[in-house]
Amino acid sequence: MRSIGKKLYLACCFLFLYAPIAVLIVFSFNESKNRATFTGFTLKWYASLFQNELIMRSLFNTLIVAAAASIIATVLGTIAALGISGMRKRMRSAVMNITYLPVINPEIITGISMMLLFVFIKEIFHLELGFVTVLIAHITFCLPYVILNVLPKLRQMDVSLYEAALDLGCTPVSAFIKVVLPQIMPGIASGFLMSFTFSLDDFIITYFTSGSSFQTLPVTIYSMTRMKVNPQINALSTLMFVAVLVLLLLMNVRKKPKGVHA
Amino acid sequence: MKGKRSMALPYVVWSIAFVVIPLLLVVYFAFTDKNGAFTFDNLSKIVHYLPIFAKSINLALIATIISFLIGYPLAYCIARSRTHVQRNLILLVMLPMWMNFLLRTYGWMTLLENEGIINKLLGMIGLGPFEMINTQGAVVLGMVYNYLPFMVLPLYSILVKIDRSVIEAAQDLGANRFQVLCKVLFPLSMPGIVSGVTMVFVPSVSTFIISRMLGGGGNMLIGDLIETQFLGGSYNPYLGSALSLVLMVVMLLIMTVMNAFDEDDMEGMLV
């Protein structure tokens, strides 16, 4: 009896979580623009989606920014984590407080504060809002996630291994590459992945730092939702959902053999 | 491994340039007028906007409480499932998060519309139509929907670690279900509750999209107000900065209070 109640509760929760997504998917195949009655099957919204130049260009922009921001943030953040781990407690606390700022500040504050900076220095550096400002903003909000992922790995690492490598004749650089890097690699990888997905998904901070000439996909989606009825949004949602689903399934398949050994 | 402290230097410079200075600019603009002179005007004008602050905090609180009431049993159910089921259920909770929140909120617009699907279904059994979109209820629903996973995930990760025998011991010693919940489960899951509540409350208070998409024009929240000062019709970064400053201070205060509930503090976590 209790088990039935539990299953029913889970079902209700997942119905709540997936209802809007299901609606978007179903109505992406709807013939008419009507959002409540299904009038017939069509793929025309998908066709028009791929012909929509604005959406395609925004998608391209999003991918470029996400790739560049996450790579730069991962490199800069990993080096920073190495430095931070060598700091004494007081200094480390000070740096960590700054690191937590973008994480706990409401996104809108991060967005408007960077917008203020970019508008303020516009005259000095001839920097218009656009690709560069979005990239800087994305690197900035990705950096904490890299650092917070790499630092624990560095803390778990045995320093004597690195010293042993030096004693056995490694140069500091090769000791780092051969001994330290493999041990902190999981942290670097998850930091990179988090950065990449956050960057892909970010709307609020991009919205304030992108200006009018440079749009990422979320910003374009926002302007599309302002126009009320637009079945292309449904088609886009469906494609994104399928992409995420496939990615997750692939990751799961890849992870399974590991689980057997553990 | 001494002397590599300097490796953090590029990052520290970056953070000062793009995190600290921008926040200081917010403070600077909050105390400046259009001619660059020092003023308290922006901050004193905020008195007019206190109802909006109150409404934002009120709606965010309601959304946080509802998220907790839905999320805690959900996290508990998942944590008490079999191990391989747990993994799948958690993935199911996280999956919607990977779809852009604008799209998910747009989905709710479709559902809640006056001519929308829910009203249509209700109409079939002779109810309604109800006016659901452009109400405060719709805004709260949007908040709960978008941030529920943020509540469930930290709760789950702490509940799954609680030893079942602790609960059984409490039951053996004569605690009823309610006492088990209040005296065993809640205290043990406090760190998860604190981070879940924070992770729902912070984005709910400062949202400007959910209120605009689901609340119509009549449900302006503090996030909308700030946004219009910077990108909307009423361009006034000075007032916008003052509003942001107050929002930031309010959030810091709330988080300090929240952290007081949580004994093991993170290293370097603010305050």
Side-chain angles (χ1 to χ4, degrees), chain A residues 9 16-18 20 24 35-36 80 92 97 99-100 104 112 140 147 162 201 207 218 222 228 237 252, chain B residues 1 5 7 11 14 22 70 87 92 95 100 102-103 106 113 115 145 212 227 244 248 266-268 270:
Chain A
Y9 184 71
F16 174 62
L17 282 173
Y18 285 90
L24 290 176
R35 291 199 285 188
R92 193 169 61 209
N97 271 333
T99 305
Y100 276 113
I104 58 175
I112 60 114
T140 308
I147 293 173
Y162 172 74
D201 205 44
Y207 180 63
Y222 176 65
K228 294 286 176 190
S237 312
N252 247 8
Chain B
M1 296 215 282
R5 246 176 299 171
M7 289 171 85
Y11 166 69
W14 182 285
I70 299 176
R87 242 176 76 98
L92 275 177
L95 185 58
N100 197 285
L102 292 162
L103 294 173
Y106 180 77
E113 271 173 329
E115 306 278 299
Y145 178 76
R212 194 165 302 169
E227 191 262 347
S244 307
M248 224 166 15
M266 253 185 276
E267 190 199 17
L270 285 175

Side-chain angles (χ1 to χ4, degrees), chain B residues 16-250:
Chain B
I16 288 171
F18 298 117
V19 176
V20 178
I21 291 179
L23 289 176
L24 292 177
L25 274 177
V26 173
V27 178
Y28 170 76
F29 271 78
F31 289 102
T32 322
D33 66 11
K34 283 185 184 87
N35 306 315
F38 179 85
T39 176
F40 275 117
D41 273 6
N42 302 317
L43 279 170
S44 58
K45 261 189 232 157
I46 283 181
V47 181
H48 306 299
Y49 300 107
L50 283 183
I52 296 183
F53 266 100
K55 189 177 187 181
S56 306
I57 292 176
N58 187 21
L59 292 188
L61 264 181
I62 296 171
T64 310
I65 292 168
I66 295 176
S67 300
F68 178 75
L69 292 179
I70 299 176
Y72 200 91
L74 179 59
Y76 188 80
C77 283
I78 298 174
R80 287 287 167 266
S81 303
R82 265 167 286 152
T83 322
H84 68 280
V85 181
Q86 272 181 33
R87 242 176 76 98
N88 292 337
L89 290 177
I90 279 300
L91 273 180
L92 275 177
V93 171
M94 280 161 68
L95 185 58
M97 274 174 28
W98 274 303
M99 217 168 119
N100 197 285
F101 80 104
L102 292 162
L103 294 173
R104 285 178 279 142
T105 311
Y106 180 77
W108 276 111
M109 278 169 79
T110 331
L111 279 167
L112 296 175
E113 271 173 329
N114 292 338
E115 306 278 299
I117 292 167
I118 292 182
N119 266 328
K120 208 147 235 183
L121 288 177
L122 286 174
M124 277 179 204
I125 52 171
L127 291 172
F130 295 100
E131 187 149 338
M132 289 178 289
I133 194 124
N134 300 344
T135 60
Q136 291 192 12
V139 179
V140 171
L141 177 100
M143 291 172 177
V144 172
Y145 178 76
N146 275 302
Y147 306 126
L148 184 63
F150 292 147
M151 179 67 86
V152 175
L153 295 177
L155 283 176
Y156 161 77
S157 56
I158 204 115
L159 282 171
V160 82
K161 281 186 217 139
I162 294 178
D163 196 337
R164 218 174 217 173
S165 47
V166 177
I167 299 164
E168 279 159 12
Q171 283 166 339
D172 285 349
L173 293 168
N176 60 32
R177 272 196 197 175
F178 183 70
Q179 284 169 321
V180 169
L181 190 65
C182 290
K183 296 202 165 157
V184 181
L185 276 178
F186 281 165
L188 283 176
S189 51
M190 209 32 134
I193 296 176
V194 169
S195 54
V197 165
T198 327
M199 283 167 79
V200 173
F201 185 75
V202 173
S204 297
V205 164
S206 57
T207 185
F208 68 95
I209 294 303
I210 296 172
S211 43
R212 194 165 302 169
M213 283 171 83
L214 298 174
N219 284 296
M220 198 185 219
L221 298 186
I222 188 66
D224 301 283
L225 189 61
I226 293 176
E227 191 262 347
T228 49
Q229 307 307 317
F230 287 93
L231 288 173
S234 51
Y235 182 74
N236 186 352
Y238 309 96
L239 178 62
S241 294
L243 290 164
S244 307
L245 185 63
V246 173
L247 177 64
M248 224 166 15
V249 171
V250 170

Side-chain angles (χ1 to χ4, degrees), chain A residues 1-15, chain B residues 74 77 81-82 85 89:
Chain A
M1 186 61 207
R2 259 171 102 183
S3 153
I4 295 173
K6 186 182 141 183
K7 279 192 180 128
L8 202 68
Y9 184 71
L10 282 173
C12 286
C13 286
F14 287 116
L15 178 72
Chain B
L74 179 59
C77 283
S81 303
R82 265 167 286 152
V85 181
L89 290 177

